[in-house]
Amino acid sequence: MKKLYSQFNRIAIDESIESMQVSEQEIERIKQRVLKQKKCQLPRGLSVAVISIVMVILAGTITGITNPAFAANLPIIGNIFELFKDNEEEYIFDNYQDYASQVGITQESNGVSMTITDVVYDKENITIGYTLETKHDLGEDPFMEGDWELKTLTKDNHLLNYHGSTGASQLIEQIDEHTYAGIYMIQLKAGDHPDKIKLNWNKHKIGSFDRDNPPYSMVNPVEGSWNFELTLKAIEREVQKFDDLVSSSEGLEVRLKSISKSPITTSFHFTEIVEANYRNEDWASVFINYKVTDDLGNEYTVVWNGAQGTNPYVMTSRSVTTAINKEASSLIITPIAEIYKMKDSDASNGEMEIVKGPFHLDPIVVPLEKE
């Protein structure tokens, strides 16, 4: 998954930032980028309000087509993550089913039966597997709006609001005429998170978007009261921090700040910087991929998992792969960058064209702590 340095693009929205107006050009630039992805990014809260709405509406879920192969592998509990394992360009779900908490809670409202099947909380994301049963026509590209609240439990058993999330993403796949399977992933901010957390997931609306006609409203949405309250226990993680692991080349600097490891995922936390001399219209957007190998010769699939920042040229980002081979003693992380500019600075369609790349920055060699 490519990383985008572009004003407001791919910024995971912080709940405390006030909203502001943006130009039609910025909206169209976001549309161009997001429609290139299958992944749906949902900013948390209403900061940069117009951008939030556009990203929520435009970011596409997996096209909802009838899938007999999915249907054949859909025991309602315990296998949702297995259904999406082949989607490695967007997500990593290997071994999730082994560590998921099986839930099996169903809520029915307005002709839609929604069942949460499994949840994984790993202090990086809260990943929810669910199914939908309905006779409503949800369209060719189903999408679910929802809100969530997180709370923590104090030592005195008092509940406190927990503002630890930055955004969310989702996948929905149609299984048959009336059945859908989906995954909803709430991304958490970088940093420490509690061992237990309470999740209230509610205020849902399900439908498809008319992507060709702004303001991209939902077509025939189905609204209902599917309210879920869950107490989640975290999978333990180990964090290895770094101070001096840097790769820089041709106007870009990438710093590896930490690696967070659990039994199912390995998360890489980067700071990505466009140097001051390159912050101009010819560098409107910078996309960064990461190639990760170990000293044993294994190569790992790496996917983007959120970003934060108030400056479009200085971002903190997170990328995720599977658990690293236990015998490996080091990793080699190679940033791969592409530079884009606006195709026509006087036009409002936001179309971009590549001006450089893809090119490799110097690899970062990462020593691994042994367990």
Side-chain angles (χ1 to χ4, degrees), residues 245-256 270 288-291 331-337 359-366:
L245 295 183
V246 181
S247 175
S248 60
S249 178
E250 303 186 57
L252 296 176
E253 180 178 292
V254 175
R255 294 178 174 268
L256 177 64
F270 299 100
I288 302 179
N289 285 326
Y290 292 96
K291 178 182 178 181
L331 296 176
I332 301 93
I333 302 176
T334 305
I336 305 170
F359 62 91
H360 291 63
L361 280 69
D362 293 335
I364 302 172
V365 179
V366 185

Side-chain angles (χ1 to χ4, degrees), residues 289-307:
N289 285 326
Y290 292 96
K291 178 182 178 181
V292 176
T293 59
D294 63 27
D295 58 319
L296 303 177
N298 299 306
E299 183 170 350
Y300 300 88
T301 299
V302 181
V303 299
W304 182 85
N305 189 231

